[in-house]
Amino acid sequence: MSSEPKREDKERGGNRRFVRVKKSCRFCSDNVDYIDYKDTRVLNSYVPERGKILPRRISGVCSPHQRMLATAIKRARNAALIPFAAD
């Protein structure tokens, strides 16, 4: 790959580059040791409308907290605190 800007970019007058913002784990920054399955407000932020658990590449959660989060979501689903799928 060349690092030279493409012809389209030159015509627009700029050097367009994609800058990725590094994601950080929300639970690590808050020093969370346990994710409570009864805290549905936090859990619902990691379950989109389709009802699946967000992957860590999208949510930015680290792997230990992603495992805790998945376990908490599954426990909350079994306790009928959050739905398995959206209507």
Side-chain angles (χ1 to χ4, degrees):
M1 286 183 70
S2 67
S3 61
E4 294 181 21
K6 294 181 180 178
R7 183 176 175 192
E8 298 170 1
D9 294 337
K10 287 181 180 177
E11 292 173 357
R12 292 181 184 157
N15 209 5
R16 295 179 54 177
R17 291 188 181 202
F18 179 74
V19 178
R20 182 173 298 192
V21 177
K22 183 156 177 86
K23 295 177 183 175
S24 63
C25 179
R26 168 183 165 188
F27 299 109
C28 286
S29 62
D30 294 342
N31 291 327
V32 174
D33 292 334
Y34 176 73
I35 299 173
D36 192 11
Y37 71 95
K38 292 174 271 183
D39 192 2
T40 58
R41 190 175 50 93
V42 172
L43 298 179
N44 279 331
S45 63
Y46 292 97
V47 179
E49 293 177 5
R50 195 168 177 104
K52 295 189 172 195
I53 301 171
L54 277 181
R56 52 183 289 246
R57 67 181 161 81
I58 295 175
S59 65
V61 178
C62 68
S63 59
H65 283 119
Q66 177 71 21
R67 287 191 291 270
M68 280 192 259
L69 183 66
T71 304
I73 289 172
K74 290 172 186 174
R75 282 182 182 159
R77 283 177 178 164
N78 283 330
L81 297 174
I82 58 174
F84 279 92
D87 293 330

